[in-house]
Coordinates of all heavy atoms in Angstrom, one line a residue:
S187 N -84.8 -101.1 23.6 CA -84.4 -101.1 25.0 C -82.9 -100.7 25.1 O -82.2 -100.7 24.1 CB -84.6 -102.5 25.5 OG -83.6 -103.4 25.0
K188 N -82.5 -100.4 26.3 CA -81.2 -99.9 26.5 C -80.1 -100.9 26.1 O -79.1 -100.6 25.4 CB -81.0 -99.6 27.9 CG -79.6 -99.0 28.3 CD -79.5 -98.6 29.7 CE -78.2 -98.2 30.1 NZ -78.0 -98.0 31.5
T189 N -80.3 -102.2 26.4 CA -79.4 -103.2 26.1 C -79.2 -103.4 24.6 O -78.2 -103.4 24.0 CB -79.8 -104.6 26.7 OG1 -79.9 -104.4 28.1 CG2 -78.8 -105.7 26.4
N190 N -80.4 -103.3 23.9 CA -80.3 -103.4 22.4 C -79.6 -102.2 21.8 O -78.8 -102.4 20.9 CB -81.8 -103.5 21.9 CG -81.8 -103.9 20.4 OD1 -80.9 -104.5 19.9 ND2 -82.9 -103.5 19.8
T191 N -79.8 -101.1 22.4 CA -79.1 -99.9 21.9 C -77.6 -100.0 22.1 O -76.8 -99.7 21.3 CB -79.7 -98.6 22.6 OG1 -81.1 -98.5 22.3 CG2 -79.0 -97.4 22.1
Q192 N -77.2 -100.4 23.3 CA -75.8 -100.6 23.7 C -75.2 -101.6 22.7 O -74.1 -101.4 22.3 CB -75.6 -101.0 25.1 CG -74.2 -101.2 25.5 CD -74.0 -101.4 27.0 OE1 -74.8 -101.0 27.8 NE2 -72.9 -102.1 27.3
D193 N -75.9 -102.7 22.5 CA -75.4 -103.8 21.6 C -75.1 -103.2 20.2 O -74.1 -103.6 19.6 CB -76.3 -105.0 21.5 CG -76.4 -105.8 22.8 OD1 -75.5 -105.6 23.7 OD2 -77.3 -106.6 23.0
K194 N -76.0 -102.4 19.7 CA -75.8 -101.8 18.4 C -74.6 -100.9 18.3 O -73.8 -100.9 17.4 CB -77.1 -101.0 18.0 CG -78.3 -101.9 17.7 CD -79.5 -101.1 17.3 CE -80.7 -102.0 17.0 NZ -81.9 -101.3 16.6
V195 N -74.4 -100.1 19.4 CA -73.3 -99.2 19.4 C -72.0 -100.0 19.5 O -71.0 -99.7 18.8 CB -73.4 -98.1 20.6 CG1 -72.1 -97.3 20.7 CG2 -74.6 -97.2 20.3
I196 N -72.0 -101.0 20.3 CA -70.8 -101.9 20.4 C -70.5 -102.5 19.1 O -69.3 -102.6 18.7 CB -71.0 -102.9 21.5 CG1 -71.0 -102.2 22.9 CG2 -70.0 -104.0 21.5 CD1 -71.4 -103.1 24.1
A197 N -71.5 -103.0 18.4 CA -71.2 -103.5 17.1 C -70.6 -102.5 16.1 O -69.7 -102.9 15.3 CB -72.5 -104.1 16.5
V198 N -71.1 -101.3 16.1 CA -70.5 -100.3 15.3 C -69.1 -99.9 15.7 O -68.2 -99.8 14.9 CB -71.4 -99.0 15.3 CG1 -70.6 -97.8 14.7 CG2 -72.7 -99.2 14.5
L199 N -68.8 -99.9 17.0 CA -67.4 -99.7 17.5 C -66.5 -100.8 17.0 O -65.3 -100.5 16.6 CB -67.4 -99.5 19.0 CG -68.1 -98.3 19.5 CD1 -68.1 -98.3 21.1 CD2 -67.6 -97.0 19.0
W200 N -66.9 -102.0 17.0 CA -66.1 -103.1 16.5 C -65.8 -102.9 15.0 O -64.7 -103.2 14.5 CB -66.7 -104.5 16.8 CG -66.4 -105.0 18.1 CD1 -67.3 -105.3 19.1 CD2 -65.1 -105.3 18.7 NE1 -66.7 -105.7 20.2 CE2 -65.3 -105.8 20.0 CE3 -63.8 -105.2 18.2 CZ2 -64.3 -106.2 20.8 CZ3 -62.8 -105.6 19.0 CH2 -63.0 -106.1 20.3
F201 N -66.9 -102.6 14.3 CA -66.7 -102.3 12.8 C -65.7 -101.2 12.6 O -64.8 -101.4 11.7 CB -68.1 -101.9 12.2 CG -68.0 -101.4 10.8 CD1 -67.8 -102.3 9.8 CD2 -68.1 -100.1 10.6 CE1 -67.7 -101.8 8.5 CE2 -68.0 -99.6 9.3 CZ -67.8 -100.5 8.2
L202 N -65.8 -100.1 13.4 CA -64.8 -99.1 13.2 C -63.4 -99.5 13.6 O -62.4 -99.1 12.9 CB -65.2 -97.9 14.1 CG -66.5 -97.1 13.7 CD1 -66.9 -96.1 14.7 CD2 -66.3 -96.5 12.3
I203 N -63.2 -100.3 14.6 CA -61.9 -100.9 14.9 C -61.4 -101.7 13.8 O -60.2 -101.6 13.3 CB -61.9 -101.7 16.2 CG1 -62.1 -100.8 17.4 CG2 -60.7 -102.6 16.3 CD1 -62.2 -101.6 18.7
E204 N -62.2 -102.6 13.2 CA -61.7 -103.6 12.2 C -61.5 -102.9 10.9 O -60.5 -103.3 10.2 CB -62.8 -104.7 12.1 CG -62.9 -105.6 13.3 CD -64.0 -106.5 13.2 OE1 -64.7 -106.6 12.1 OE2 -64.2 -107.2 14.2
R205 N -62.2 -101.9 10.5 CA -62.1 -101.3 9.2 C -61.5 -99.9 9.0 O -61.0 -99.6 8.0 CB -63.5 -101.3 8.5 CG -64.2 -102.6 8.4 CD -63.6 -103.5 7.4 NE -64.3 -104.7 7.4 CZ -64.0 -105.7 6.6 NH1 -62.9 -105.6 5.8 NH2 -64.7 -106.8 6.6
H206 N -61.6 -99.1 10.1 CA -61.3 -97.7 9.9 C -60.4 -97.2 11.1 O -60.5 -96.0 11.4 CB -62.6 -96.9 9.8 CG -63.4 -97.3 8.7 ND1 -63.1 -97.0 7.4 CD2 -64.6 -98.0 8.6 CE1 -64.0 -97.5 6.6 NE2 -64.9 -98.0 7.3
S207 N -59.6 -98.0 11.7 CA -58.8 -97.6 12.9 C -57.4 -98.1 12.7 O -57.1 -99.1 12.1 CB -59.4 -98.1 14.2 OG -60.7 -97.6 14.4
T208 N -56.5 -97.4 13.4 CA -55.1 -97.8 13.6 C -54.9 -98.0 15.1 O -55.4 -97.2 15.9 CB -54.2 -96.8 13.0 OG1 -54.4 -95.5 13.5 CG2 -54.3 -96.7 11.5
E209 N -54.0 -98.9 15.4 CA -53.7 -99.2 16.8 C -52.7 -98.1 17.3 O -51.7 -97.9 16.6 CB -53.2 -100.6 17.0 CG -53.0 -100.9 18.5 CD -52.8 -102.4 18.7 OE1 -52.4 -103.1 17.8 OE2 -52.9 -102.8 19.9
R210 N -53.0 -97.5 18.4 CA -52.1 -96.5 18.9 C -51.2 -97.1 19.9 O -50.0 -97.2 19.7 CB -53.0 -95.4 19.6 CG -54.0 -94.8 18.7 CD -53.4 -94.0 17.6 NE -52.8 -92.8 18.1 CZ -52.0 -92.0 17.4 NH1 -51.8 -92.3 16.1 NH2 -51.5 -91.0 17.9
R211 N -51.7 -97.6 21.1 CA -50.9 -98.3 22.0 C -51.8 -98.9 23.1 O -52.9 -98.5 23.3 CB -49.8 -97.4 22.7 CG -50.4 -96.2 23.5 CD -49.3 -95.4 24.1 NE -49.3 -94.1 23.6 CZ -49.9 -93.0 24.1 NH1 -50.6 -93.2 25.2 NH2 -49.9 -91.9 23.6
A212 N -51.3 -100.0 23.7 CA -52.0 -100.7 24.8 C -53.5 -100.9 24.5 O -54.4 -100.5 25.3 CB -51.8 -99.9 26.1
A213 N -53.8 -101.5 23.4 CA -55.2 -101.8 23.0 C -56.1 -100.7 22.6 O -57.3 -100.8 22.4 CB -55.9 -102.7 24.1
W214 N -55.5 -99.5 22.5 CA -56.3 -98.3 22.1 C -56.2 -98.1 20.6 O -55.1 -98.2 20.0 CB -55.8 -97.0 22.8 CG -56.3 -96.9 24.2 CD1 -55.5 -97.2 25.3 CD2 -57.6 -96.5 24.7 NE1 -56.3 -97.0 26.4 CE2 -57.5 -96.6 26.1 CE3 -58.7 -96.1 24.0 CZ2 -58.6 -96.2 26.9 CZ3 -59.8 -95.8 24.8 CH2 -59.8 -95.9 26.2
W215 N -57.4 -98.0 19.9 CA -57.5 -97.8 18.5 C -58.1 -96.5 18.2 O -59.1 -96.1 18.8 CB -58.4 -98.9 17.9 CG -57.8 -100.3 18.0 CD1 -57.7 -101.1 19.2 CD2 -57.1 -101.1 17.0 NE1 -57.1 -102.3 18.9 CE2 -56.7 -102.3 17.6 CE3 -56.9 -100.8 15.7 CZ2 -56.0 -103.3 16.9 CZ3 -56.2 -101.8 15.0 CH2 -55.8 -103.0 15.6
R216 N -57.5 -95.7 17.2 CA -58.0 -94.4 16.9 C -58.7 -94.5 15.5 O -58.1 -95.0 14.5 CB -56.9 -93.4 16.8 CG -57.4 -92.0 16.4 CD -56.3 -91.0 16.4 NE -56.0 -90.7 17.8 CZ -55.1 -89.8 18.1 NH1 -54.3 -89.3 17.2 NH2 -54.8 -89.6 19.4
V217 N -59.9 -94.0 15.5 CA -60.7 -94.0 14.2 C -60.0 -93.0 13.3 O -59.6 -91.9 13.8 CB -62.2 -93.6 14.5 CG1 -62.9 -93.5 13.2 CG2 -62.8 -94.7 15.4
E218 N -59.8 -93.3 12.0 CA -59.0 -92.5 11.1 C -59.7 -91.3 10.5 O -59.1 -90.6 9.7 CB -58.5 -93.4 10.0 CG -57.6 -94.5 10.6 CD -57.2 -95.6 9.5 OE1 -57.9 -95.6 8.4 OE2 -56.4 -96.4 9.8
F219 N -60.9 -91.0 10.9 CA -61.6 -89.9 10.4 C -62.4 -89.2 11.5 O -62.7 -89.9 12.4 CB -62.5 -90.2 9.1 CG -63.4 -91.3 9.4 CD1 -64.7 -91.1 9.9 CD2 -63.1 -92.7 9.2 CE1 -65.6 -92.1 10.2 CE2 -64.0 -93.7 9.4 CZ -65.2 -93.4 9.9
P220 N -62.8 -87.9 11.3 CA -63.6 -87.3 12.3 C -65.0 -88.0 12.5 O -65.6 -88.4 11.4 CB -63.8 -85.9 11.8 CG -62.7 -85.7 10.8 CD -62.4 -87.0 10.2
I221 N -65.4 -88.2 13.7 CA -66.7 -88.9 13.9 C -67.4 -88.2 15.0 O -66.8 -87.6 15.9 CB -66.3 -90.4 14.3 CG1 -67.6 -91.3 14.2 CG2 -65.6 -90.5 15.6 CD1 -67.2 -92.7 14.1
N222 N -68.8 -88.3 14.9 CA -69.6 -87.7 16.0 C -70.7 -88.7 16.3 O -70.9 -89.7 15.7 CB -70.1 -86.3 15.5 CG -70.9 -86.4 14.3 OD1 -71.6 -87.4 14.0 ND2 -70.9 -85.3 13.5
H223 N -71.5 -88.3 17.3 CA -72.6 -89.2 17.8 C -73.7 -89.4 16.7 O -74.2 -90.5 16.6 CB -73.2 -88.7 19.1 CG -72.3 -88.7 20.2 ND1 -72.7 -88.4 21.5 CD2 -71.0 -89.2 20.4 CE1 -71.7 -88.6 22.3 NE2 -70.7 -89.0 21.7
Q224 N -73.9 -88.4 15.9 CA -74.9 -88.5 14.9 C -74.5 -89.6 13.8 O -75.3 -90.3 13.4 CB -75.2 -87.2 14.2 CG -76.3 -87.2 13.1 CD -77.6 -87.6 13.8 OE1 -78.1 -86.9 14.7 NE2 -78.3 -88.6 13.3
F225 N -73.2 -89.6 13.5 CA -72.7 -90.6 12.5 C -72.9 -92.0 13.1 O -73.4 -92.9 12.4 CB -71.3 -90.3 12.2 CG -70.7 -91.2 11.2 CD1 -71.0 -91.1 9.8 CD2 -69.8 -92.2 11.6 CE1 -70.5 -92.0 8.9 CE2 -69.3 -93.1 10.7 CZ -69.6 -93.0 9.3
I226 N -72.5 -92.2 14.3 CA -72.7 -93.5 15.0 C -74.2 -93.9 15.0 O -74.6 -95.0 14.7 CB -72.1 -93.5 16.3 CG1 -70.5 -93.4 16.2 CG2 -72.4 -94.8 17.1 CD1 -69.8 -93.1 17.5
A227 N -75.0 -92.9 15.4 CA -76.5 -93.2 15.4 C -77.0 -93.6 14.0 O -77.8 -94.5 13.9 CB -77.2 -91.9 15.9
D228 N -76.6 -92.9 13.0 CA -77.0 -93.3 11.6 C -76.6 -94.7 11.3 O -77.3 -95.4 10.7 CB -76.4 -92.3 10.6 CG -77.1 -90.9 10.7 OD1 -78.1 -90.8 11.4 OD2 -76.5 -89.9 10.2
L229 N -75.3 -95.1 11.7 CA -74.9 -96.4 11.4 C -75.7 -97.5 12.2 O -75.9 -98.6 11.7 CB -73.4 -96.6 11.8 CG -72.4 -95.9 10.9 CD1 -71.0 -96.0 11.4 CD2 -72.4 -96.4 9.4
C230 N -76.1 -97.1 13.4 CA -76.9 -98.0 14.2 C -78.3 -98.1 13.9 O -79.0 -99.0 14.2 CB -76.7 -97.6 15.7 SG -75.1 -97.8 16.4
G231 N -78.8 -97.0 13.3 CA -80.3 -96.9 13.1 C -81.0 -96.5 14.4 O -82.2 -97.0 14.6
I232 N -80.4 -95.7 15.2 CA -81.0 -95.3 16.5 C -80.9 -93.8 16.5 O -80.3 -93.2 15.7 CB -80.4 -96.0 17.7 CG1 -78.9 -95.7 17.8 CG2 -80.6 -97.5 17.7 CD1 -78.2 -96.3 19.0
T233 N -81.5 -93.2 17.5 CA -81.5 -91.7 17.7 C -80.1 -91.3 18.2 O -79.4 -92.0 18.9 CB -82.6 -91.2 18.6 OG1 -82.3 -91.7 19.9 CG2 -84.0 -91.6 18.2
R234 N -79.8 -90.0 17.9 CA -78.6 -89.4 18.4 C -78.6 -89.3 19.9 O -77.6 -89.6 20.6 CB -78.4 -88.0 17.8 CG -77.0 -87.5 17.9 CD -76.7 -86.3 18.7 NE -77.8 -85.5 19.2 CZ -78.1 -85.3 20.5 NH1 -77.3 -85.7 21.4 NH2 -79.1 -84.5 20.8
E235 N -79.8 -89.1 20.5 CA -79.9 -89.0 21.9 C -79.5 -90.3 22.6 O -78.8 -90.3 23.6 CB -81.3 -88.5 22.3 CG -81.6 -87.1 21.9 CD -82.0 -86.9 20.4 OE1 -82.1 -87.9 19.7 OE2 -82.3 -85.8 20.0
S236 N -80.1 -91.4 22.1 CA -79.8 -92.7 22.6 C -78.3 -93.0 22.5 O -77.7 -93.6 23.4 CB -80.6 -93.8 21.9 OG -82.0 -93.6 22.1
T237 N -77.7 -92.7 21.3 CA -76.3 -92.9 21.1 C -75.5 -92.1 22.1 O -74.5 -92.7 22.7 CB -75.9 -92.5 19.7 OG1 -76.7 -93.3 18.8 CG2 -74.5 -92.7 19.4
S238 N -75.9 -90.9 22.4 CA -75.1 -90.1 23.3 C -75.1 -90.7 24.7 O -74.1 -90.6 25.4 CB -75.7 -88.7 23.3 OG -75.4 -88.0 22.1
I239 N -76.3 -91.2 25.1 CA -76.4 -91.8 26.4 C -75.4 -93.0 26.5 O -74.7 -93.2 27.5 CB -77.8 -92.3 26.7 CG1 -78.7 -91.0 26.9 CG2 -77.9 -93.2 28.0 CD1 -80.2 -91.3 26.9
V240 N -75.4 -93.9 25.5 CA -74.5 -95.1 25.5 C -73.1 -94.7 25.5 O -72.2 -95.2 26.2 CB -74.9 -96.0 24.4 CG1 -73.9 -97.2 24.3 CG2 -76.3 -96.6 24.5
M241 N -72.8 -93.7 24.6 CA -71.4 -93.2 24.5 C -70.9 -92.6 25.8 O -69.7 -92.8 26.2 CB -71.2 -92.2 23.4 CG -71.5 -92.8 22.0 SD -70.3 -94.0 21.5 CE -69.0 -93.0 21.0
K242 N -71.7 -91.9 26.6 CA -71.4 -91.4 27.9 C -71.1 -92.5 28.8 O -70.1 -92.4 29.6 CB -72.5 -90.5 28.4 CG -72.3 -90.0 29.8 CD -71.2 -89.0 30.0 CE -71.2 -88.4 31.3 NZ -70.1 -88.7 32.1
E243 N -71.9 -93.6 28.8 CA -71.6 -94.7 29.7 C -70.3 -95.4 29.3 O -69.5 -95.8 30.2 CB -72.8 -95.7 29.6 CG -74.1 -95.2 30.2 CD -75.3 -96.1 29.9 OE1 -75.1 -97.1 29.2 OE2 -76.4 -95.8 30.4
L244 N -70.0 -95.5 28.0 CA -68.8 -96.1 27.6 C -67.6 -95.2 28.0 O -66.5 -95.7 28.3 CB -68.8 -96.4 26.1 CG -69.8 -97.4 25.6 CD1 -69.8 -97.5 24.1 CD2 -69.6 -98.8 26.3
L245 N -67.7 -93.9 27.9 CA -66.7 -93.0 28.3 C -66.4 -93.1 29.8 O -65.2 -93.2 30.2 CB -67.1 -91.6 28.0 CG -66.1 -90.5 28.1 CD1 -65.0 -90.6 27.2 CD2 -66.8 -89.1 27.9
D246 N -67.5 -93.2 30.6 CA -67.3 -93.4 32.1 C -66.6 -94.7 32.4 O -65.8 -94.8 33.4 CB -68.6 -93.3 32.8 CG -69.3 -92.0 32.7 OD1 -68.6 -91.0 32.4 OD2 -70.5 -91.9 33.0
K247 N -66.8 -95.8 31.6 CA -66.2 -97.1 31.8 C -64.8 -97.2 31.2 O -64.2 -98.2 31.2 CB -67.1 -98.2 31.3 CG -68.4 -98.3 32.0 CD -69.2 -99.4 31.3 CE -70.6 -99.5 32.0 NZ -71.4 -100.5 31.3
K248 N -64.4 -96.1 30.6 CA -63.1 -96.0 29.9 C -62.9 -97.0 28.8 O -61.8 -97.5 28.5 CB -61.9 -96.1 30.9 CG -61.9 -95.0 31.9 CD -60.7 -95.0 32.8 CE -60.5 -94.0 33.8 NZ -61.5 -93.0 34.2
V249 N -64.0 -97.2 28.1 CA -64.0 -98.1 26.9 C -63.7 -97.2 25.7 O -63.0 -97.7 24.8 CB -65.4 -98.8 26.7 CG1 -65.4 -99.5 25.4 CG2 -65.7 -99.7 27.8
I250 N -64.1 -96.0 25.7 CA -63.7 -95.0 24.7 C -63.1 -93.8 25.3 O -63.3 -93.5 26.5 CB -65.0 -94.6 23.8 CG1 -66.0 -93.9 24.7 CG2 -65.5 -95.8 23.1 CD1 -67.1 -93.2 23.9
R251 N -62.5 -93.0 24.5 CA -62.0 -91.7 25.0 C -62.0 -90.7 23.7 O -61.9 -91.2 22.6 CB -60.6 -91.8 25.6 CG -59.5 -92.2 24.7 CD -58.2 -92.4 25.5 NE -57.1 -92.9 24.7 CZ -56.0 -93.3 25.1 NH1 -55.8 -93.4 26.4 NH2 -55.1 -93.8 24.3
V252 N -62.0 -89.5 24.0 CA -62.0 -88.4 23.0 C -60.9 -87.4 23.3 O -61.1 -86.4 23.9 CB -63.4 -87.7 23.0 CG1 -63.5 -86.7 21.8 CG2 -64.5 -88.8 22.9
P253 N -59.7 -87.7 22.8 CA -58.6 -86.9 23.2 C -58.7 -85.5 22.5 O -58.2 -84.5 23.1 CB -57.4 -87.6 22.7 CG -57.9 -88.6 21.7 CD -59.3 -88.9 22.1
K254 N -59.3 -85.4 21.4 CA -59.5 -84.1 20.7 C -60.9 -84.2 20.2 O -61.5 -85.2 19.9 CB -58.6 -84.0 19.5 CG -57.1 -83.9 19.8 CD -56.3 -83.8 18.6 CE -54.8 -84.2 18.8 NZ -54.1 -84.3 17.6
Q255 N -61.5 -83.0 19.9 CA -62.9 -82.9 19.4 C -62.9 -83.7 18.1 O -62.1 -83.6 17.2 CB -63.3 -81.5 19.2 CG -64.7 -81.4 18.9 CD -65.2 -79.9 18.9 OE1 -64.4 -79.0 19.1 NE2 -66.5 -79.7 18.6
S256 N -63.9 -84.5 17.9 CA -64.2 -85.3 16.7 C -63.2 -86.5 16.5 O -63.2 -87.1 15.5 CB -64.2 -84.5 15.4 OG -65.3 -83.6 15.5
T257 N -62.3 -86.7 17.5 CA -61.4 -87.9 17.5 C -61.9 -88.9 18.4 O -62.2 -88.6 19.6 CB -60.0 -87.4 17.8 OG1 -59.6 -86.4 16.9 CG2 -59.0 -88.6 17.8
L258 N -62.0 -90.1 18.0 CA -62.5 -91.2 18.8 C -61.5 -92.3 19.0 O -60.9 -92.7 18.0 CB -63.8 -91.8 18.2 CG -64.4 -93.0 19.0 CD1 -64.9 -92.6 20.4 CD2 -65.5 -93.6 18.2
E259 N -61.2 -92.7 20.2 CA -60.3 -93.8 20.5 C -61.1 -94.9 21.2 O -61.9 -94.5 22.1 CB -59.1 -93.4 21.2 CG -58.1 -92.5 20.4 CD -56.8 -92.2 21.1 OE1 -56.6 -92.6 22.2 OE2 -56.0 -91.5 20.4
I260 N -60.9 -96.1 20.9 CA -61.6 -97.2 21.4 C -60.6 -98.2 22.0 O -59.7 -98.6 21.4 CB -62.5 -97.9 20.3 CG1 -63.3 -96.9 19.6 CG2 -63.3 -99.0 20.9 CD1 -63.8 -97.4 18.2
N261 N -60.9 -98.7 23.2 CA -60.1 -99.7 23.9 C -60.7 -101.1 23.6 O -61.8 -101.4 24.1 CB -60.0 -99.5 25.4 CG -59.0 -100.4 26.1 OD1 -59.2 -101.6 26.0 ND2 -58.0 -99.8 26.6
S262 N -60.0 -101.9 22.8 CA -60.6 -103.1 22.3 C -60.7 -104.2 23.4 O -61.7 -104.9 23.4 CB -59.7 -103.7 21.2 OG -58.4 -103.9 21.6
E263 N -59.8 -104.1 24.4 CA -59.9 -105.1 25.5 C -61.1 -104.8 26.4 O -61.8 -105.7 26.8 CB -58.6 -105.0 26.4 CG -57.4 -105.6 25.6 CD -56.1 -105.4 26.4 OE1 -56.1 -104.8 27.5 OE2 -55.1 -105.9 25.9
R264 N -61.3 -103.5 26.7 CA -62.5 -103.2 27.5 C -63.8 -103.4 26.8 O -64.8 -103.8 27.3 CB -62.4 -101.7 28.0 CG -61.2 -101.6 29.0 CD -61.1 -100.2 29.5 NE -59.9 -100.1 30.4 CZ -59.2 -99.1 30.6 NH1 -59.5 -98.0 29.9 NH2 -58.1 -99.1 31.4
L265 N -63.8 -103.1 25.4 CA -65.0 -103.3 24.6 C -65.3 -104.8 24.6 O -66.5 -105.2 24.7 CB -64.7 -102.8 23.2 CG -65.9 -102.8 22.3 CD1 -67.0 -101.8 22.8 CD2 -65.5 -102.3 20.9
H266 N -64.3 -105.6 24.5 CA -64.5 -107.1 24.5 C -65.2 -107.6 25.8 O -66.1 -108.5 25.7 CB -63.2 -107.8 24.3 CG -63.4 -109.3 24.2 ND1 -64.0 -109.9 23.1 CD2 -63.0 -110.3 25.0 CE1 -64.0 -111.2 23.3 NE2 -63.4 -111.5 24.5
T267 N -65.0 -107.0 26.9 CA -65.6 -107.4 28.2 C -67.1 -107.1 28.2 O -67.8 -107.6 29.0 CB -64.9 -106.7 29.4 OG1 -65.1 -105.3 29.3 CG2 -63.4 -107.1 29.5
L268 N -67.5 -106.2 27.4 CA -69.0 -105.8 27.3 C -69.8 -106.7 26.5 O -71.0 -106.6 26.6 CB -69.1 -104.3 26.8 CG -68.5 -103.3 27.7 CD1 -68.6 -101.9 27.0 CD2 -69.0 -103.2 29.1
E269 N -69.2 -107.5 25.7 CA -70.0 -108.4 24.8 C -70.6 -109.6 25.6 O -70.2 -110.0 26.6 CB -69.1 -109.0 23.7 CG -68.6 -108.0 22.8 CD -67.9 -108.5 21.6 OE1 -66.9 -109.3 21.8 OE2 -68.3 -108.3 20.5

C-alpha cells in the first residue's frame, strides 16, 4: 500500500541521514554520495516506480530537495513530522 511504501522510503531517508550525510544548514542534510531512485528502491525492497511517486510527494512537501543531479538533501525536521 502507499502508506507502507512511504514508511519504507522514510526509514531509508533516516538511515541515510544517520549514516551517510553531513548537515548543511537549517536541518538540511546532504547525502555524501550520488544517489538515485533505483538505489533507494533497492534499499526499500520496492519498485523504482513506487519510489519515484513517494519521492515526488516528498519533494512537493519540501522534505527533500535535489540541488544538483544525483545529489540528495533531506530536511530532518520536515521528515520527522511525517512519522
Side-chain angles (χ1 to χ4, degrees):
S187 74
K188 181 178 174 184
T189 303
N190 192 23
T191 302
Q192 182 174 332
D193 291 345
K194 288 178 180 183
V195 172
I196 288 171
V198 166
L199 293 178
W200 276 119
F201 170 76
L202 291 171
I203 286 174
E204 293 172 4
R205 302 289 183 181
H206 301 288
S207 300
T208 54
E209 189 169 16
R210 303 298 287 172
R211 62 181 116 92
W214 284 100
W215 293 77
R216 179 175 287 175
V217 178
E218 298 171 347
F219 54 87
I221 194 162
N222 59 31
H223 290 183
Q224 184 63 55
F225 181 76
I226 294 171
D228 291 342
L229 290 174
C230 293
I232 58 178
T233 64
R234 196 243 350 123
E235 292 82 2
S236 296
T237 301
S238 294
I239 291 168
V240 172
M241 294 295 281
K242 173 70 170 114
E243 292 171 358
L244 296 175
L245 188 65
D246 292 344
K247 294 178 183 177
K248 297 187 179 8
V249 174
I250 62 169
R251 63 185 178 192
V252 184
K254 299 177 194 170
Q255 188 172 2
S256 298
T257 302
L258 176 65
E259 292 186 356
I260 308 163
N261 187 297
S262 59
E263 292 175 358
R264 292 180 183 150
L265 187 63
H266 183 66
T267 62
L268 297 178
E269 291 186 307

